[in-house]
Every structure is written in structure tokens, then in C-alpha cells.
Amino acid sequence: ASYNIGIGEISWRKNFGYIQTSPILNEGHIYFGSLNGTQYKAEASSGKMIWRVETKSPIHSTCAVSGGAVVFGNDNGEIYCINTNDGSQRWMLETGATVYSTPMIDNGTVYIGNDDSLFKAISLTDGAVLWKNNLKTKIISGSALYGEQVIVTCVDGSVYSLNKSDGGVKWKFQT
């Protein structure tokens, strides 16, 4: 459903299945995944579906949108990069473990972790893994940039600062 907070009313309501991801608004469209394994693009103003991509596995990973691409993971451990215009697949990377994490895209690089404990930097262009670091704990959260550092939190309660260029640990803080 779309809710107009200015006037306090529902603008439109559609059934896209059970959704546990956050909708991402980009250029008048919303992008979101559902537990039926489908990633959607819909018009923000009307809810009209533009395209849908079937992944055959539940999607808990909120997507990231940048450079004409939408990136997300699914419970089968697959990370997808989809063309925002037509929903065609640019690339797919199999990780072997569930992806709950929200990807972050910066300067043509996707940063994402998953249940295999590997935090990865992936080329947005072709899906090549640029670097990976085994943090020895599941990663279900998104990450943030701070200068040349990627900040990520993990299931073991640790906060890591990784070098953006090679994934090396700059520091670790146990909460």
C-alpha cells in the first residue's frame, strides 16, 4: 500500500504477496522483494507493476538501486543484478548461503555479506568478486561507508571496519 502522509490517506493498495523487505524509491518507481521469491518494480504513484523477476527462493534482502541496476540476494544464496529498465538479468552470483543482508553500492562496487560469513566487494558491471573477507560470523545487516572504510555489523555482536580497497580489517569492536 502507498500511504500519503501529507493528507493521511491510502493512495493505492495492491497485493504483491508477503513482503519483509523495505521498498526502495528511485526515479518514481519502487523496488521490493517478496517471500514468494519475486523482485518487483512498480510505479510509485499507482502501484502498477512494471516488471517482476522470479528467483524461486524467498527474498529477505532489501535491494539497492544504482547505475541502472537493482541488486539483492535471496534465501538460496544467490545475489542478483537486474537491469532497472526492463528487468533483464545482468548477472547472478551463487554464494552457497542465505543472503539477508542489504547490499550497498558505491562507485560501481557492490558490498554485501551473508550467512557464509564472507563479506564481499563485487563489480556492479559483471558480478566479479573483487575481494572477500571471512569474518567468521553470519552477516545479516547492511553496511555503511565512512571515508575509505566499509563499516559492517555481524551476528556475533562485532562491528568491523574494512578497508574499501581490499577488505582488510582496519579495526574490530565487540559490542
Side-chain angles (χ1 to χ4, degrees), residues 122-141:
I122 304 166
S123 168
L124 183 61
T125 305
D126 61 9
V129 176
L130 305 173
W131 56 256
K132 59 187 173 184
N133 189 332
N134 188 342
L135 301 179
K136 298 178 178 62
T137 178
K138 292 179 180 185
I139 306 159
I140 61 172
S141 70

Side-chain angles (χ1 to χ4, degrees), residues 64-130:
V65 180
S66 180
V70 57
V71 179
F72 62 94
N74 71 9
D75 289 8
N76 272 351
E78 299 159 335
I79 300 170
Y80 287 85
C81 180
I82 305 298
N83 184 311
T84 57
N85 291 331
D86 61 11
S88 61
Q89 183 175 303
R90 287 189 181 182
W91 51 262
M92 189 267 289
L93 177 67
E94 293 184 20
T95 69
T98 300
V99 181
Y100 294 119
S101 181
T102 299
M104 175 180 57
I105 303 172
D106 178 62
N107 201 26
T109 301
V110 177
Y111 299 93
I112 191 168
N114 66 328
D115 274 7
D116 66 1
S117 302
L118 295 175
F119 191 84
K120 300 171 189 70
I122 304 166
S123 168
L124 183 61
T125 305
D126 61 9
V129 176
L130 305 173

